[in-house]
Amino acid sequence: MARPLRVEFPGALYHVTARGNERKPIYRDTRDRARFLERLASAVQRYRLRLHAYVLMRNHYHLLIATSEANLARAMGQLGGAYTQDFNRRHQRTGHLFQGRYKALLVDRDAYLLELSRYIHLNPVRVGEVQRAWEFPWSSAGAYVGKTAVPKFLSVAEVLGHFGRRLGTARRRYAEFLAEGTAPRATAPWAAVEGQLLLGERRWVERMKRHVSRRSLPQETTAATTLRPRPPLSVVITQVCRAARVDKPALLRARSDRGGWARPVAMALAWEVCGLPQRQIGREFGVSPYAVSKAVVRARALAASQGKPGSVIRRLNSNFKG
């Protein structure tokens, strides 16, 4: 069977899910789930995603994600690959963790944003894990109804905005909306899926099909598309050289001691702010992708320090990400 197309464009909304290989667990305990959320938070920041809802079940997960750039495949590849490495290292295993590629449905925001948020949050209820969605600790339901704090990587405003202007009112009505989804006659939205790819009203589906056939994809007008543009690598390198008082050749030269802390910081900013792949960054700096990964880790440690490098790095991060 042919794989479904990957349709990507700025402002797109997706329901994403992935299942464990041979339906085996992808989370064995709370540490695994916490680590996955750390990786998810990193992907949300790096790839400028807007995460509307999530649930981490024992052998699969569901995410409701909007993209500000056409980069879902890169984001999910990074998330799945990094978490698989973490899981295999911790549990001393090798091989695939997930059953093939993740699945992604392109979703009609106007018709299915609310319905899919409810479907995702009700997963633990449907299998008998909990009686009420917000009692399950590994989903975003608690943040929606005010039982837990809203993590920085989660965006609840768009969904809750449909339930009232006052936060307390919106949370209460959303809890009622979740309860209504557990009624015996409640149905899942999957009957409306077209071609393993599109979920939406007929007019929207036809519009997407026309765009796909012309290979001319739209840009949805949402808040997710109004982020400031990513800076080019040349600008990042110039700013880092100026802050660290080193010249560009020293910064870019492999095995150069003159670059000091500036080299790992420039590589980390290229990865996190410019959104470049580690392989491309490695070519620019004359190192391997693994060395870029180590540089990112070192730069984060430097940013947390209290010395001059730490303050300079935090200022650079603020300038580029602000």
Side-chain angles (χ1 to χ4, degrees):
M1 180 182 296
R3 289 179 172 179
L5 290 172
R6 294 293 193 223
V7 181
E8 298 186 341
F9 56 88
L13 178 69
Y14 302 92
H15 172 254
V16 180
T17 185
R19 190 174 297 276
N21 199 23
E22 299 178 336
R23 295 182 178 269
K24 292 180 180 178
I26 58 175
Y27 315 109
R28 295 186 182 178
D29 53 25
T30 58
R31 284 181 60 187
D32 284 342
R33 284 185 166 105
R35 184 55 175 165
F36 182 88
L37 288 182
E38 291 175 5
R39 290 296 189 182
L40 179 59
S42 177
V44 167
Q45 179 182 18
R46 170 166 155 67
Y47 295 99
R48 296 183 168 188
L49 307 177
R50 180 163 294 197
L51 178 67
H52 292 288
Y54 70 86
V55 66
L56 312 185
M57 305 300 288
R58 185 166 176 267
N59 67 353
H60 67 284
Y61 65 75
H62 293 268
L63 310 174
L64 187 56
I65 292 176
T67 56
S68 60
E69 302 170 0
N71 61 358
L72 180 70
R74 288 177 57 197
M76 297 310 300
Q78 174 71 30
L79 173 63
Y83 178 69
T84 295
Q85 290 180 8
D86 294 337
F87 187 91
N88 286 353
R89 187 181 303 114
R90 181 173 179 231
H91 297 292
Q92 299 182 344
R93 67 182 296 276
T94 58
H96 298 292
L97 177 62
F98 295 101
Q99 182 178 300
R101 298 194 304 173
Y102 65 93
K103 295 180 180 179
L105 282 177
L106 181 61
V107 177
D108 179 351
R109 180 187 303 270
D110 293 337
Y112 282 99
L113 173 67
L114 303 186
E115 192 59 45
L116 281 175
S117 77
R118 176 164 67 177
Y119 174 84
I120 288 171
H121 289 148
L122 289 179
N123 262 257
V125 178
R126 282 191 294 271
V127 299
E129 289 266 1
V130 293
Q131 289 188 326
R132 295 177 293 187
W134 53 87
E135 295 172 349
F136 188 69
W138 301 107
S139 87
S140 48
Y144 268 90
V145 302
K147 298 296 183 182
T148 60
V150 179
K152 290 183 179 180
F153 60 85
L154 180 67
S155 300
V156 302
E158 185 173 350
V159 172
L160 286 181
H162 289 271
F163 293 89
R165 294 184 178 180
R166 295 173 63 92
L167 182 58
T169 300
R171 285 171 169 171
R172 186 183 72 254
R173 290 176 177 171
Y174 188 79
E176 295 170 354
F177 176 67
L178 289 178
E180 292 168 2
T182 61
R185 294 183 180 180
T187 59
W190 311 128
V193 173
E194 289 260 353
Q196 306 180 63
L197 175 66
L198 303 172
L199 175 62
E201 298 290 351
R202 172 55 52 189
R203 187 173 299 179
W204 179 89
V205 169
E206 294 303 323
R207 182 164 65 93
M208 289 298 112
K209 286 182 176 179
R210 288 195 298 272
H211 281 297
V212 171
S213 66
R214 294 198 304 263
R215 297 183 181 275
S216 173
L217 293 171
Q219 175 164 317
E220 297 292 291
T221 305
T222 70
T225 66
T226 60
L227 298 173
R228 60 189 292 186
R230 290 185 184 273
L233 180 58
S234 59
V235 171
V236 168
I237 289 174
T238 298
Q239 292 296 320
V240 172
C241 287
R242 187 175 299 165
R245 297 183 179 179
V246 299
D247 57 25
K248 183 176 178 180
L251 185 75
L252 295 177
R253 192 180 307 124
R255 301 182 180 87
S256 171
D257 293 331
R258 292 180 61 198
W261 56 264
R263 267 178 65 81
V265 169
M267 283 187 268
L269 288 172
W271 190 74
E272 294 180 346
V273 177
C274 300
L276 300 177
Q278 291 183 353
R279 189 175 301 277
Q280 180 179 345
I281 298 169
R283 287 198 299 267
E284 294 286 343
F285 288 84
V287 296
S288 68
Y290 176 66
V292 176
S293 178
K294 290 177 63 177
V296 171
V297 173
R298 185 185 172 199
R300 288 174 177 168
L302 286 168
S305 67
Q306 298 302 313
K308 180 178 179 181
S311 62
V312 172
I313 295 166
R314 289 192 293 275
R315 176 169 55 81
L316 287 169
N317 269 300
S318 177
N319 289 346
F320 286 123
K321 296 179 183 178

